[in-house]
Amino acid sequence: MKRLIVLLVAFLITLPTQAITHSSSNQKWYGPFTVKKSAFFWDGAPNAVIHVNEEMNTGCGVTDTERKVTYRGSASERDWPARTYSIAVTAQASNKKIMLLIDGACRATYGLNVHGVEVLSD
């Protein structure tokens, strides 16, 4: 019985860490946010831009002011920006909150780089 209680307590202690999605050391999850609008476009490279309704406090002026993040692919890389856009519009259409995986590279036009989108359940 004592062993069962110890195992149960150990499981409960680790439970919060099991619900966290991995990120690299230079990336951080921000949110939760609701998607205001999302765009997928080409300007020499494919881009997926996500605008959110809530304030963003990232330290990047463009991202914080315009409440946007961008995944900018290379000319040969079209799948990843398209998938990022697809996940964002799916969350917007189903009125789900999202978390954004962002790195620290602040770009004057595009804001911070988004590397992942996590759709949250209710």
mmCIF file of all heavy atoms in Angstrom, residues 67-120:
data_model
loop_
_atom_site.group_PDB
_atom_site.id
_atom_site.type_symbol
_atom_site.label_atom_id
_atom_site.label_comp_id
_atom_site.label_asym_id
_atom_site.label_seq_id
_atom_site.Cartn_x
_atom_site.Cartn_y
_atom_site.Cartn_z
ATOM 1 N N ARG A 67 0.658 42.936 -33.146
ATOM 2 C CA ARG A 67 0.168 41.647 -32.633
ATOM 3 C C ARG A 67 0.264 40.563 -33.704
ATOM 4 O O ARG A 67 -0.714 39.859 -33.988
ATOM 5 C CB ARG A 67 -1.255 41.779 -32.113
ATOM 6 C CG ARG A 67 -1.386 42.752 -30.973
ATOM 7 C CD ARG A 67 -2.806 42.889 -30.507
ATOM 8 N NE ARG A 67 -2.873 43.906 -29.462
ATOM 9 C CZ ARG A 67 -3.971 44.262 -28.869
ATOM 10 N NH1 ARG A 67 -5.110 43.709 -29.184
ATOM 11 N NH2 ARG A 67 -3.956 45.182 -27.935
ATOM 12 N N LYS A 68 1.464 40.444 -34.286
ATOM 13 C CA LYS A 68 1.638 39.459 -35.352
ATOM 14 C C LYS A 68 2.979 38.758 -35.242
ATOM 15 O O LYS A 68 3.945 39.287 -34.696
ATOM 16 C CB LYS A 68 1.521 40.108 -36.722
ATOM 17 C CG LYS A 68 2.731 40.944 -37.132
ATOM 18 C CD LYS A 68 2.596 41.438 -38.565
ATOM 19 C CE LYS A 68 3.826 42.229 -38.989
ATOM 20 N NZ LYS A 68 3.707 42.715 -40.349
ATOM 21 N N VAL A 69 2.992 37.550 -35.760
ATOM 22 C CA VAL A 69 4.206 36.756 -35.937
ATOM 23 C C VAL A 69 4.180 36.206 -37.358
ATOM 24 O O VAL A 69 3.119 36.105 -37.970
ATOM 25 C CB VAL A 69 4.303 35.604 -34.914
ATOM 26 C CG1 VAL A 69 4.497 36.135 -33.503
ATOM 27 C CG2 VAL A 69 3.085 34.703 -34.977
ATOM 28 N N THR A 70 5.358 35.866 -37.876
ATOM 29 C CA THR A 70 5.450 35.412 -39.263
ATOM 30 C C THR A 70 6.376 34.214 -39.379
ATOM 31 O O THR A 70 7.436 34.182 -38.740
ATOM 32 C CB THR A 70 6.014 36.538 -40.166
ATOM 33 O OG1 THR A 70 5.204 37.695 -40.028
ATOM 34 C CG2 THR A 70 6.047 36.122 -41.625
ATOM 35 N N TYR A 71 5.963 33.252 -40.187
ATOM 36 C CA TYR A 71 6.908 32.226 -40.624
ATOM 37 C C TYR A 71 7.238 32.542 -42.070
ATOM 38 O O TYR A 71 6.359 32.551 -42.927
ATOM 39 C CB TYR A 71 6.349 30.805 -40.524
ATOM 40 C CG TYR A 71 7.429 29.811 -40.882
ATOM 41 C CD1 TYR A 71 8.288 29.333 -39.907
ATOM 42 C CD2 TYR A 71 7.643 29.418 -42.200
ATOM 43 C CE1 TYR A 71 9.330 28.482 -40.225
ATOM 44 C CE2 TYR A 71 8.672 28.559 -42.520
ATOM 45 C CZ TYR A 71 9.514 28.095 -41.536
ATOM 46 O OH TYR A 71 10.543 27.262 -41.861
ATOM 47 N N ARG A 72 8.494 32.870 -42.326
ATOM 48 C CA ARG A 72 8.953 33.196 -43.671
ATOM 49 C C ARG A 72 9.801 32.038 -44.161
ATOM 50 O O ARG A 72 10.881 31.776 -43.645
ATOM 51 C CB ARG A 72 9.742 34.497 -43.661
ATOM 52 C CG ARG A 72 10.197 34.932 -45.039
ATOM 53 C CD ARG A 72 10.641 36.391 -44.994
ATOM 54 N NE ARG A 72 11.303 36.809 -46.209
ATOM 55 C CZ ARG A 72 10.677 37.138 -47.333
ATOM 56 N NH1 ARG A 72 9.358 37.095 -47.381
ATOM 57 N NH2 ARG A 72 11.348 37.516 -48.401
ATOM 58 N N GLY A 73 9.314 31.341 -45.185
ATOM 59 C CA GLY A 73 10.041 30.216 -45.743
ATOM 60 C C GLY A 73 11.001 30.655 -46.838
ATOM 61 O O GLY A 73 11.070 31.823 -47.203
ATOM 62 N N SER A 74 11.731 29.694 -47.369
ATOM 63 C CA SER A 74 12.599 29.979 -48.511
ATOM 64 C C SER A 74 11.804 29.727 -49.786
ATOM 65 O O SER A 74 10.708 29.167 -49.750
ATOM 66 C CB SER A 74 13.838 29.080 -48.464
ATOM 67 O OG SER A 74 13.459 27.727 -48.631
ATOM 68 N N ALA A 75 12.362 30.131 -50.924
ATOM 69 C CA ALA A 75 11.656 29.968 -52.197
ATOM 70 C C ALA A 75 11.294 28.506 -52.464
ATOM 71 O O ALA A 75 10.270 28.216 -53.072
ATOM 72 C CB ALA A 75 12.502 30.522 -53.337
ATOM 73 N N SER A 76 12.109 27.578 -51.987
ATOM 74 C CA SER A 76 11.833 26.158 -52.225
ATOM 75 C C SER A 76 11.021 25.520 -51.094
ATOM 76 O O SER A 76 10.609 24.375 -51.199
ATOM 77 C CB SER A 76 13.153 25.400 -52.398
ATOM 78 O OG SER A 76 13.914 25.505 -51.210
ATOM 79 N N GLU A 77 10.793 26.251 -50.036
ATOM 80 C CA GLU A 77 10.107 25.712 -48.859
ATOM 81 C C GLU A 77 8.702 26.295 -48.762
ATOM 82 O O GLU A 77 8.497 27.365 -48.210
ATOM 83 C CB GLU A 77 10.917 26.071 -47.620
ATOM 84 C CG GLU A 77 10.306 25.609 -46.333
ATOM 85 C CD GLU A 77 11.024 26.180 -45.132
ATOM 86 O OE1 GLU A 77 11.579 27.280 -45.218
ATOM 87 O OE2 GLU A 77 10.989 25.506 -44.108
ATOM 88 N N ARG A 78 7.745 25.601 -49.304
ATOM 89 C CA ARG A 78 6.369 26.103 -49.292
ATOM 90 C C ARG A 78 5.474 25.367 -48.302
ATOM 91 O O ARG A 78 4.470 25.907 -47.868
ATOM 92 C CB ARG A 78 5.774 25.994 -50.695
ATOM 93 C CG ARG A 78 6.468 26.898 -51.662
ATOM 94 C CD ARG A 78 5.785 26.922 -53.009
ATOM 95 N NE ARG A 78 6.451 27.858 -53.877
ATOM 96 C CZ ARG A 78 7.106 27.513 -54.964
ATOM 97 N NH1 ARG A 78 7.192 26.274 -55.335
ATOM 98 N NH2 ARG A 78 7.685 28.443 -55.696
ATOM 99 N N ASP A 79 5.831 24.149 -47.954
ATOM 100 C CA ASP A 79 4.966 23.342 -47.091
ATOM 101 C C ASP A 79 4.825 23.894 -45.680
ATOM 102 O O ASP A 79 3.724 23.961 -45.151
ATOM 103 C CB ASP A 79 5.466 21.900 -47.010
ATOM 104 C CG ASP A 79 5.171 21.119 -48.268
ATOM 105 O OD1 ASP A 79 4.413 21.612 -49.118
ATOM 106 O OD2 ASP A 79 5.715 20.009 -48.412
ATOM 107 N N TRP A 80 5.930 24.258 -45.049
ATOM 108 C CA TRP A 80 5.869 24.667 -43.649
ATOM 109 C C TRP A 80 5.044 25.939 -43.451
ATOM 110 O O TRP A 80 4.180 25.980 -42.564
ATOM 111 C CB TRP A 80 7.273 24.808 -43.069
ATOM 112 C CG TRP A 80 7.249 24.996 -41.597
ATOM 113 C CD1 TRP A 80 7.484 26.152 -40.923
ATOM 114 C CD2 TRP A 80 6.913 24.030 -40.604
ATOM 115 N NE1 TRP A 80 7.334 25.966 -39.574
ATOM 116 C CE2 TRP A 80 6.995 24.673 -39.354
ATOM 117 C CE3 TRP A 80 6.569 22.687 -40.645
ATOM 118 C CZ2 TRP A 80 6.732 24.009 -38.153
ATOM 119 C CZ3 TRP A 80 6.309 22.038 -39.455
ATOM 120 C CH2 TRP A 80 6.388 22.690 -38.234
ATOM 121 N N PRO A 81 5.259 27.012 -44.233
ATOM 122 C CA PRO A 81 4.391 28.187 -44.059
ATOM 123 C C PRO A 81 2.924 27.870 -44.332
ATOM 124 O O PRO A 81 2.042 28.365 -43.633
ATOM 125 C CB PRO A 81 4.937 29.195 -45.076
ATOM 126 C CG PRO A 81 6.315 28.746 -45.366
ATOM 127 C CD PRO A 81 6.322 27.267 -45.196
ATOM 128 N N ALA A 82 2.648 27.024 -45.322
ATOM 129 C CA ALA A 82 1.267 26.660 -45.641
ATOM 130 C C ALA A 82 0.625 25.897 -44.486
ATOM 131 O O ALA A 82 -0.544 26.106 -44.159
ATOM 132 C CB ALA A 82 1.205 25.849 -46.923
ATOM 133 N N ARG A 83 1.380 25.019 -43.862
ATOM 134 C CA ARG A 83 0.842 24.262 -42.723
ATOM 135 C C ARG A 83 0.592 25.177 -41.525
ATOM 136 O O ARG A 83 -0.405 25.036 -40.820
ATOM 137 C CB ARG A 83 1.800 23.143 -42.341
ATOM 138 C CG ARG A 83 1.823 22.040 -43.351
ATOM 139 C CD ARG A 83 2.800 20.976 -42.997
ATOM 140 N NE ARG A 83 2.844 19.990 -44.071
ATOM 141 C CZ ARG A 83 3.766 19.082 -44.191
ATOM 142 N NH1 ARG A 83 4.744 19.019 -43.310
ATOM 143 N NH2 ARG A 83 3.741 18.218 -45.186
ATOM 144 N N THR A 84 1.504 26.112 -41.285
ATOM 145 C CA THR A 84 1.331 27.071 -40.191
ATOM 146 C C THR A 84 0.055 27.870 -40.400
ATOM 147 O O THR A 84 -0.755 28.040 -39.483
ATOM 148 C CB THR A 84 2.556 28.006 -40.103
ATOM 149 O OG1 THR A 84 3.727 27.214 -39.914
ATOM 150 C CG2 THR A 84 2.427 28.993 -38.971
ATOM 151 N N TYR A 85 -0.138 28.352 -41.614
ATOM 152 C CA TYR A 85 -1.344 29.103 -41.967
ATOM 153 C C TYR A 85 -2.590 28.242 -41.783
ATOM 154 O O TYR A 85 -3.586 28.683 -41.201
ATOM 155 C CB TYR A 85 -1.234 29.585 -43.415
ATOM 156 C CG TYR A 85 -2.526 30.111 -43.976
ATOM 157 C CD1 TYR A 85 -3.003 31.369 -43.619
ATOM 158 C CD2 TYR A 85 -3.286 29.344 -44.857
ATOM 159 C CE1 TYR A 85 -4.195 31.847 -44.124
ATOM 160 C CE2 TYR A 85 -4.478 29.820 -45.372
ATOM 161 C CZ TYR A 85 -4.937 31.067 -45.000
ATOM 162 O OH TYR A 85 -6.118 31.536 -45.502
ATOM 163 N N SER A 86 -2.540 27.015 -42.248
ATOM 164 C CA SER A 86 -3.684 26.111 -42.168
ATOM 165 C C SER A 86 -4.107 25.861 -40.721
ATOM 166 O O SER A 86 -5.301 25.874 -40.402
ATOM 167 C CB SER A 86 -3.335 24.791 -42.861
ATOM 168 O OG SER A 86 -4.398 23.884 -42.765
ATOM 169 N N ILE A 87 -3.156 25.652 -39.846
ATOM 170 C CA ILE A 87 -3.474 25.425 -38.435
ATOM 171 C C ILE A 87 -4.101 26.675 -37.825
ATOM 172 O O ILE A 87 -5.085 26.598 -37.086
ATOM 173 C CB ILE A 87 -2.213 25.007 -37.652
ATOM 174 C CG1 ILE A 87 -1.725 23.639 -38.145
ATOM 175 C CG2 ILE A 87 -2.478 24.979 -36.156
ATOM 176 C CD1 ILE A 87 -0.335 23.275 -37.662
ATOM 177 N N ALA A 88 -3.557 27.849 -38.171
ATOM 178 C CA ALA A 88 -4.089 29.101 -37.618
ATOM 179 C C ALA A 88 -5.523 29.352 -38.063
ATOM 180 O O ALA A 88 -6.369 29.726 -37.245
ATOM 181 C CB ALA A 88 -3.197 30.279 -38.018
ATOM 182 N N VAL A 89 -5.824 29.161 -39.344
ATOM 183 C CA VAL A 89 -7.190 29.426 -39.807
ATOM 184 C C VAL A 89 -8.163 28.362 -39.294
ATOM 185 O O VAL A 89 -9.335 28.674 -39.070
ATOM 186 C CB VAL A 89 -7.291 29.581 -41.347
ATOM 187 C CG1 VAL A 89 -6.510 30.790 -41.816
ATOM 188 C CG2 VAL A 89 -6.874 28.340 -42.077
ATOM 189 N N THR A 90 -7.695 27.159 -39.086
ATOM 190 C CA THR A 90 -8.546 26.126 -38.499
ATOM 191 C C THR A 90 -8.915 26.511 -37.064
ATOM 192 O O THR A 90 -10.071 26.396 -36.658
ATOM 193 C CB THR A 90 -7.845 24.754 -38.518
ATOM 194 O OG1 THR A 90 -7.569 24.404 -39.879
ATOM 195 C CG2 THR A 90 -8.696 23.679 -37.872
ATOM 196 N N ALA A 91 -7.940 26.991 -36.302
ATOM 197 C CA ALA A 91 -8.214 27.441 -34.932
ATOM 198 C C ALA A 91 -9.156 28.638 -34.934
ATOM 199 O O ALA A 91 -10.060 28.724 -34.104
ATOM 200 C CB ALA A 91 -6.907 27.796 -34.226
ATOM 201 N N GLN A 92 -8.952 29.549 -35.885
ATOM 202 C CA GLN A 92 -9.820 30.729 -35.980
ATOM 203 C C GLN A 92 -11.253 30.312 -36.303
ATOM 204 O O GLN A 92 -12.197 30.782 -35.671
ATOM 205 C CB GLN A 92 -9.295 31.691 -37.042
ATOM 206 C CG GLN A 92 -10.112 32.951 -37.181
ATOM 207 C CD GLN A 92 -9.586 33.867 -38.276
ATOM 208 O OE1 GLN A 92 -8.815 33.456 -39.125
ATOM 209 N NE2 GLN A 92 -10.021 35.105 -38.254
ATOM 210 N N ALA A 93 -11.421 29.428 -37.267
ATOM 211 C CA ALA A 93 -12.759 28.997 -37.684
ATOM 212 C C ALA A 93 -13.484 28.241 -36.576
ATOM 213 O O ALA A 93 -14.705 28.324 -36.469
ATOM 214 C CB ALA A 93 -12.667 28.136 -38.934
ATOM 215 N N SER A 94 -12.738 27.516 -35.755
ATOM 216 C CA SER A 94 -13.382 26.744 -34.682
ATOM 217 C C SER A 94 -13.347 27.481 -33.343
ATOM 218 O O SER A 94 -13.702 26.917 -32.312
ATOM 219 C CB SER A 94 -12.740 25.361 -34.564
ATOM 220 O OG SER A 94 -11.352 25.465 -34.439
ATOM 221 N N ASN A 95 -12.905 28.748 -33.371
ATOM 222 C CA ASN A 95 -12.884 29.601 -32.184
ATOM 223 C C ASN A 95 -12.095 28.976 -31.032
ATOM 224 O O ASN A 95 -12.519 29.018 -29.879
ATOM 225 C CB ASN A 95 -14.301 29.967 -31.749
ATOM 226 C CG ASN A 95 -14.321 31.223 -30.912
ATOM 227 O OD1 ASN A 95 -13.485 32.096 -31.069
ATOM 228 N ND2 ASN A 95 -15.295 31.315 -30.016
ATOM 229 N N LYS A 96 -10.943 28.398 -31.357
ATOM 230 C CA LYS A 96 -10.062 27.781 -30.361
ATOM 231 C C LYS A 96 -8.890 28.697 -30.074
ATOM 232 O O LYS A 96 -8.408 29.417 -30.940
ATOM 233 C CB LYS A 96 -9.508 26.439 -30.870
ATOM 234 C CG LYS A 96 -10.557 25.400 -31.146
ATOM 235 C CD LYS A 96 -11.076 24.827 -29.863
ATOM 236 C CE LYS A 96 -12.036 23.688 -30.156
ATOM 237 N NZ LYS A 96 -12.577 23.120 -28.961
ATOM 238 N N LYS A 97 -8.414 28.684 -28.864
ATOM 239 C CA LYS A 97 -7.214 29.434 -28.500
ATOM 240 C C LYS A 97 -5.985 28.663 -28.969
ATOM 241 O O LYS A 97 -6.016 27.450 -29.107
ATOM 242 C CB LYS A 97 -7.164 29.662 -27.000
ATOM 243 C CG LYS A 97 -8.225 30.648 -26.531
ATOM 244 C CD LYS A 97 -7.974 31.077 -25.114
ATOM 245 C CE LYS A 97 -9.000 32.072 -24.653
ATOM 246 N NZ LYS A 97 -8.748 33.416 -25.088
ATOM 247 N N ILE A 98 -4.914 29.420 -29.208
ATOM 248 C CA ILE A 98 -3.666 28.820 -29.657
ATOM 249 C C ILE A 98 -2.504 29.292 -28.795
ATOM 250 O O ILE A 98 -2.581 30.323 -28.132
ATOM 251 C CB ILE A 98 -3.352 29.165 -31.136
ATOM 252 C CG1 ILE A 98 -3.206 30.688 -31.327
ATOM 253 C CG2 ILE A 98 -4.390 28.579 -32.066
ATOM 254 C CD1 ILE A 98 -2.649 31.096 -32.675
ATOM 255 N N MET A 99 -1.445 28.532 -28.814
ATOM 256 C CA MET A 99 -0.154 28.918 -28.281
ATOM 257 C C MET A 99 0.773 29.050 -29.489
ATOM 258 O O MET A 99 0.637 28.296 -30.468
ATOM 259 C CB MET A 99 0.390 27.854 -27.320
ATOM 260 C CG MET A 99 -0.466 27.620 -26.093
ATOM 261 S SD MET A 99 -0.495 29.000 -24.946
ATOM 262 C CE MET A 99 1.160 28.934 -24.285
ATOM 263 N N LEU A 100 1.696 30.004 -29.429
ATOM 264 C CA LEU A 100 2.628 30.235 -30.527
ATOM 265 C C LEU A 100 4.048 29.977 -30.048
ATOM 266 O O LEU A 100 4.473 30.515 -29.025
ATOM 267 C CB LEU A 100 2.515 31.671 -31.030
ATOM 268 C CG LEU A 100 1.168 32.058 -31.632
ATOM 269 C CD1 LEU A 100 1.095 33.562 -31.849
ATOM 270 C CD2 LEU A 100 0.953 31.315 -32.944
ATOM 271 N N LEU A 101 4.786 29.159 -30.798
ATOM 272 C CA LEU A 101 6.191 28.893 -30.507
ATOM 273 C C LEU A 101 7.012 29.912 -31.283
ATOM 274 O O LEU A 101 7.017 29.922 -32.514
ATOM 275 C CB LEU A 101 6.568 27.469 -30.923
ATOM 276 C CG LEU A 101 8.008 27.056 -30.625
ATOM 277 C CD1 LEU A 101 8.311 27.124 -29.131
ATOM 278 C CD2 LEU A 101 8.271 25.663 -31.174
ATOM 279 N N ILE A 102 7.682 30.809 -30.553
ATOM 280 C CA ILE A 102 8.357 31.958 -31.158
ATOM 281 C C ILE A 102 9.822 31.976 -30.737
ATOM 282 O O ILE A 102 10.147 31.646 -29.602
ATOM 283 C CB ILE A 102 7.669 33.269 -30.700
ATOM 284 C CG1 ILE A 102 6.182 33.254 -31.070
ATOM 285 C CG2 ILE A 102 8.355 34.479 -31.298
ATOM 286 C CD1 ILE A 102 5.386 34.395 -30.473
ATOM 287 N N ASP A 103 10.691 32.385 -31.684
ATOM 288 C CA ASP A 103 12.092 32.583 -31.314
ATOM 289 C C ASP A 103 12.370 34.074 -31.163
ATOM 290 O O ASP A 103 11.477 34.897 -31.304
ATOM 291 C CB ASP A 103 13.060 31.903 -32.294
ATOM 292 C CG ASP A 103 13.173 32.613 -33.635
ATOM 293 O OD1 ASP A 103 12.777 33.772 -33.758
ATOM 294 O OD2 ASP A 103 13.688 31.982 -34.571
ATOM 295 N N GLY A 104 13.595 34.444 -30.882
ATOM 296 C CA GLY A 104 13.926 35.821 -30.557
ATOM 297 C C GLY A 104 14.368 36.693 -31.713
ATOM 298 O O GLY A 104 14.834 37.800 -31.488
ATOM 299 N N ALA A 105 14.253 36.239 -32.958
ATOM 300 C CA ALA A 105 14.715 37.023 -34.105
ATOM 301 C C ALA A 105 13.633 38.008 -34.537
ATOM 302 O O ALA A 105 12.706 37.645 -35.245
ATOM 303 C CB ALA A 105 15.102 36.107 -35.261
ATOM 304 N N CYS A 106 13.752 39.257 -34.121
ATOM 305 C CA CYS A 106 12.764 40.295 -34.441
ATOM 306 C C CYS A 106 13.145 40.941 -35.775
ATOM 307 O O CYS A 106 14.220 41.519 -35.908
ATOM 308 C CB CYS A 106 12.741 41.339 -33.331
ATOM 309 S SG CYS A 106 11.523 42.643 -33.579
ATOM 310 N N ARG A 107 12.246 40.843 -36.742
ATOM 311 C CA ARG A 107 12.497 41.434 -38.060
ATOM 312 C C ARG A 107 11.578 42.634 -38.257
ATOM 313 O O ARG A 107 10.408 42.599 -37.895
ATOM 314 C CB ARG A 107 12.268 40.380 -39.146
ATOM 315 C CG ARG A 107 13.287 39.234 -39.006
ATOM 316 C CD ARG A 107 12.919 38.042 -39.818
ATOM 317 N NE ARG A 107 11.666 37.504 -39.294
ATOM 318 C CZ ARG A 107 10.885 36.680 -39.956
ATOM 319 N NH1 ARG A 107 11.195 36.287 -41.164
ATOM 320 N NH2 ARG A 107 9.770 36.243 -39.431
ATOM 321 N N ALA A 108 12.115 43.691 -38.839
ATOM 322 C CA ALA A 108 11.415 44.977 -38.947
ATOM 323 C C ALA A 108 10.047 44.874 -39.617
ATOM 324 O O ALA A 108 9.094 45.502 -39.180
ATOM 325 C CB ALA A 108 12.291 45.975 -39.685
ATOM 326 N N THR A 109 9.914 44.092 -40.671
ATOM 327 C CA THR A 109 8.650 44.001 -41.403
ATOM 328 C C THR A 109 7.765 42.875 -40.890
ATOM 329 O O THR A 109 6.552 43.029 -40.792
ATOM 330 C CB THR A 109 8.910 43.763 -42.906
ATOM 331 O OG1 THR A 109 9.744 44.812 -43.378
ATOM 332 C CG2 THR A 109 7.629 43.728 -43.705
ATOM 333 N N TYR A 110 8.363 41.759 -40.549
ATOM 334 C CA TYR A 110 7.605 40.541 -40.259
ATOM 335 C C TYR A 110 7.398 40.243 -38.783
ATOM 336 O O TYR A 110 6.593 39.406 -38.423
ATOM 337 C CB TYR A 110 8.297 39.339 -40.908
ATOM 338 C CG TYR A 110 8.462 39.497 -42.393
ATOM 339 C CD1 TYR A 110 9.686 39.834 -42.954
ATOM 340 C CD2 TYR A 110 7.381 39.315 -43.245
ATOM 341 C CE1 TYR A 110 9.842 39.980 -44.322
ATOM 342 C CE2 TYR A 110 7.518 39.461 -44.621
ATOM 343 C CZ TYR A 110 8.753 39.791 -45.147
ATOM 344 O OH TYR A 110 8.886 39.937 -46.504
ATOM 345 N N GLY A 111 8.128 40.895 -37.908
ATOM 346 C CA GLY A 111 8.022 40.589 -36.487
ATOM 347 C C GLY A 111 8.813 39.346 -36.125
ATOM 348 O O GLY A 111 9.751 38.974 -36.826
ATOM 349 N N LEU A 112 8.424 38.710 -35.048
ATOM 350 C CA LEU A 112 9.131 37.516 -34.591
ATOM 351 C C LEU A 112 8.798 36.301 -35.452
ATOM 352 O O LEU A 112 7.726 36.223 -36.053
ATOM 353 C CB LEU A 112 8.771 37.211 -33.135
ATOM 354 C CG LEU A 112 9.344 38.188 -32.110
ATOM 355 C CD1 LEU A 112 8.755 37.918 -30.743
ATOM 356 C CD2 LEU A 112 10.857 38.085 -32.057
ATOM 357 N N ASN A 113 9.740 35.356 -35.476
ATOM 358 C CA ASN A 113 9.554 34.101 -36.209
ATOM 359 C C ASN A 113 8.664 33.161 -35.408
ATOM 360 O O ASN A 113 8.930 32.904 -34.243
ATOM 361 C CB ASN A 113 10.895 33.378 -36.417
ATOM 362 C CG ASN A 113 11.847 34.155 -37.276
ATOM 363 O OD1 ASN A 113 11.451 34.747 -38.263
ATOM 364 N ND2 ASN A 113 13.107 34.148 -36.902
ATOM 365 N N VAL A 114 7.646 32.638 -36.051
ATOM 366 C CA VAL A 114 6.810 31.622 -35.412
ATOM 367 C C VAL A 114 7.257 30.263 -35.949
ATOM 368 O O VAL A 114 7.434 30.090 -37.149
ATOM 369 C CB VAL A 114 5.297 31.866 -35.641
ATOM 370 C CG1 VAL A 114 4.914 31.823 -37.093
ATOM 371 C CG2 VAL A 114 4.472 30.868 -34.842
ATOM 372 N N HIS A 115 7.483 29.332 -35.049
ATOM 373 C CA HIS A 115 7.953 27.998 -35.436
ATOM 374 C C HIS A 115 6.950 26.904 -35.102
ATOM 375 O O HIS A 115 7.184 25.742 -35.427
ATOM 376 C CB HIS A 115 9.290 27.694 -34.758
ATOM 377 C CG HIS A 115 10.395 28.545 -35.255
ATOM 378 N ND1 HIS A 115 11.066 28.285 -36.414
ATOM 379 C CD2 HIS A 115 10.916 29.690 -34.764
ATOM 380 C CE1 HIS A 115 11.982 29.217 -36.619
ATOM 381 N NE2 HIS A 115 11.906 30.081 -35.634
ATOM 382 N N GLY A 116 5.871 27.267 -34.454
ATOM 383 C CA GLY A 116 4.874 26.272 -34.120
ATOM 384 C C GLY A 116 3.578 26.898 -33.648
ATOM 385 O O GLY A 116 3.578 28.012 -33.120
ATOM 386 N N VAL A 117 2.509 26.186 -33.873
ATOM 387 C CA VAL A 117 1.178 26.599 -33.420
ATOM 388 C C VAL A 117 0.557 25.412 -32.723
ATOM 389 O O VAL A 117 0.516 24.313 -33.273
ATOM 390 C CB VAL A 117 0.280 27.033 -34.605
ATOM 391 C CG1 VAL A 117 -1.093 27.459 -34.103
ATOM 392 C CG2 VAL A 117 0.930 28.130 -35.407
ATOM 393 N N GLU A 118 0.093 25.626 -31.516
ATOM 394 C CA GLU A 118 -0.556 24.574 -30.744
ATOM 395 C C GLU A 118 -2.000 25.007 -30.511
ATOM 396 O O GLU A 118 -2.248 26.085 -29.968
ATOM 397 C CB GLU A 118 0.180 24.400 -29.422
ATOM 398 C CG GLU A 118 -0.392 23.327 -28.543
ATOM 399 C CD GLU A 118 0.433 23.151 -27.276
ATOM 400 O OE1 GLU A 118 0.623 24.148 -26.550
ATOM 401 O OE2 GLU A 118 0.877 22.026 -27.028
ATOM 402 N N VAL A 119 -2.951 24.186 -30.931
ATOM 403 C CA VAL A 119 -4.371 24.479 -30.745
ATOM 404 C C VAL A 119 -4.801 23.883 -29.404
ATOM 405 O O VAL A 119 -4.555 22.717 -29.131
ATOM 406 C CB VAL A 119 -5.225 23.903 -31.902
ATOM 407 C CG1 VAL A 119 -6.691 24.233 -31.687
ATOM 408 C CG2 VAL A 119 -4.737 24.443 -33.245
ATOM 409 N N LEU A 120 -5.418 24.711 -28.586
ATOM 410 C CA LEU A 120 -5.845 24.280 -27.257
ATOM 411 C C LEU A 120 -7.306 23.863 -27.280
ATOM 412 O O LEU A 120 -8.121 24.435 -27.991
ATOM 413 C CB LEU A 120 -5.661 25.425 -26.261
ATOM 414 C CG LEU A 120 -4.244 25.996 -26.162
ATOM 415 C CD1 LEU A 120 -4.244 27.211 -25.246
ATOM 416 C CD2 LEU A 120 -3.280 24.948 -25.687
#
